[in-house]
């Protein structure tokens, strides 16, 4: 009908206007900086940038799994029947959430972990900075994930718990079959946002000397006196990591919605 035609025309016109504005903006920026750019420099340093990107990929995957483990532990800790465990988890989570990641990395690495486990890890042939960095990132992001999961679990009505226990489910089975599937549907968007943040936050590991993507790009920029040639691949490299996470979460959300 005429309404659909109007909507279609409005969408096409708006899309064209946005494309023109974006195209003009990109052309203007590249025209201003074009005379100073030398993209061959990025190609010359491709191995260093590639190694950094792979390191960021490794950190992101490892910290993602680590944060899920810590998140579950913090969530279960806050639901523990023991008051001491509940309050300890609560206090720790408040401390983590009220202080920046940069402080955690510097304090956690130089004050706590490096003096304790750096030498044993190095002697075993491990990269101590990388392992400690992943551990600290996992704990930090796990604290936020624990809160997200707790909110999801708390949103499930009490009657569902009681019904599941009445059927004869153990505490573990109640979580596995009744609570988690429903809670996950509710917190998926928040979890996706957190995992995207985790990938971006991995760049802060450069402060403790982990040679990830941001660290290597910074080195490339300072060595070759470039600007745009370093920052464009940096932005694209992080987009390649973050977009699949966002897409996967969106797909899972739609799938869960259809199932319900």
């Amino acid at each position: 009908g005429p309404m659909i035609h109007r909507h279609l025309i409005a969408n096409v016109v708006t899309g064209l206007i946005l494309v023109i504005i974006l195209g003009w903006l990109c052309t203007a920026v590249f025209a201003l900086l074009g005379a100073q750019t030398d993209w061959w420099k990025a190609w010359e340093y491709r191995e260093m940038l590639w190694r950094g990107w792979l390191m960021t990929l490794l950190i992101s995957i490892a910290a993602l799994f680590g944060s899920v483990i810590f998140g579950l532990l913090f969530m279960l800790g806050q639901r523990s029947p023991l008051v001491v465990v509940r309050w300890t988890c609560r206090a720790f989570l408040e401390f983590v959430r009220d202080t920046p990641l940069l402080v955690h990395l510097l304090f956690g690495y130089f004050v706590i972990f490096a003096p304790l486990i750096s030498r044993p890890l190095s002697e075993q042939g491990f990269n101590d900075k990388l392992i400690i960095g992943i551990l600290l990132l996992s704990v930090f992001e796990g604290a936020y994930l624990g809160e997200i999961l707790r909110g999801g679990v708390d949103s499930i009505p009490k009657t569902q718990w009681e019904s599941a226990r009445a059927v004869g489910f153990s505490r573990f089975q109640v979580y596995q079959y009744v609570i988690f599937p429903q809670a996950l549907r509710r917190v998926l968007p928040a979890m996706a946002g957190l995992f995207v943040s985790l990938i971006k936050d991995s760049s802060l590991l450069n402060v403790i000397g982990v040679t990830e993507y941001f660290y290597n790009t910074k080195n490339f920029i300072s060595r070759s006196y470039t600007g745009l040639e370093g920052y464009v691949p940096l932005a694209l490299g992080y987009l390649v990591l973050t977009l699949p996470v966002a897409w996967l979460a969106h797909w899972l959300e739609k799938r869960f919605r259809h199932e319900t």
Side-chain angles (χ1 to χ4, degrees), residues 232-248:
V232 169
L234 183 70
L236 291 173
Y238 277 107
L239 272 175
V240 168
L241 293 171
T242 54
L243 284 176
V245 175
W247 177 84
L248 179 65

Side-chain angles (χ1 to χ4, degrees), residues 98-197:
D98 295 343
T99 45
L101 176 56
L102 192 62
V103 173
H104 283 276
L105 290 172
L106 293 170
F107 183 81
Y109 181 75
F110 292 108
V111 179
I112 301 171
F113 288 110
L116 289 174
I117 59 172
S118 261
R119 188 175 285 177
L121 284 171
S122 299
E123 285 170 359
Q124 294 295 318
F126 293 109
N127 183 336
D128 60 311
K129 288 175 181 173
L130 178 65
I131 289 172
I132 294 169
I134 289 170
L135 181 65
L136 289 166
L137 188 60
S138 297
V139 172
F140 184 84
E141 303 293 345
Y144 283 88
L145 184 59
E147 278 297 278
I148 290 169
L149 291 173
R150 184 187 62 80
V153 169
D154 284 352
S155 70
I156 308 298
K158 287 271 193 290
T159 49
Q160 299 226 13
W161 291 87
E162 288 157 10
S163 304
R165 294 310 291 266
V167 172
F169 280 5
S170 68
R171 188 178 171 83
F172 179 76
Q173 285 174 322
V174 174
Y175 274 117
Q176 188 182 353
Y177 297 115
V178 181
I179 305 305
F180 276 149
Q182 293 181 77
L184 278 174
R185 284 177 196 138
R186 298 177 187 200
V187 300
L188 258 175
M191 281 178 71
L194 182 81
F195 291 147
V196 168
S197 294

Side-chain angles (χ1 to χ4, degrees), residues 20-31:
I20 291 163
I21 292 168
L22 194 64
W24 172 80
L25 191 65
C26 289
T27 310
V29 168
F30 278 94

